[in-house]
């Protein structure tokens, strides 16, 4: 699973990077993050340490994504600001709902 960080993607697009190049940069960044995660998980031998490493990594992904994305969400110039506001909140709430469902049903997900 490759994570596309929306905040980074929006910032890259705002700086004039093409969509294709922004996606490639996000994929490269995500893959390097996962490589670091798997190295850390393979080094740790304790299952409690693995749980903490996974939790901290997930929290950092959420924090960085939201911190990068929030300024681009606030400063939107549109003729229909309420529609933009509604769509942004719908996107955030659907993402949080997906994370909640993953947390609730993580034991039933087979890998």
């Amino acid at each position: 699973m490759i994570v596309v960080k929306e905040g980074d993607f929006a910032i890259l697009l705002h700086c004039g990077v093409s969509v294709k190049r922004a996606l490639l940069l996000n994929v490269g960044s995500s893959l390097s993050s996962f490589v670091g995660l798997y190295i850390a998980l393979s080094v740790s031998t304790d299952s409690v340490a693995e749980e903490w490493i996974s939790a901290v990594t997930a929290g950092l992904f959420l924090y960085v994504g939201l911190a990068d994305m929030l300024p681009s969400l606030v400063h939107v110039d549109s003729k229909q600001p309420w529609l933009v506001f509604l769509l942004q909140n719908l996107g955030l709430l659907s993402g949080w709902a997906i994370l909640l469902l993953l947390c609730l049903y993580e034991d039933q997900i087979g890998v």
Side-chain angles (χ1 to χ4, degrees), residues 76-84:
V76 174
D77 294 329
S78 175
K79 293 180 182 178
Q80 298 175 331
W82 286 104
L83 179 63
V84 172

Side-chain angles (χ1 to χ4, degrees), residues 50-60:
E50 287 182 12
E51 291 174 7
W52 275 100
I53 290 171
S54 297
V56 168
T57 303
L60 286 173

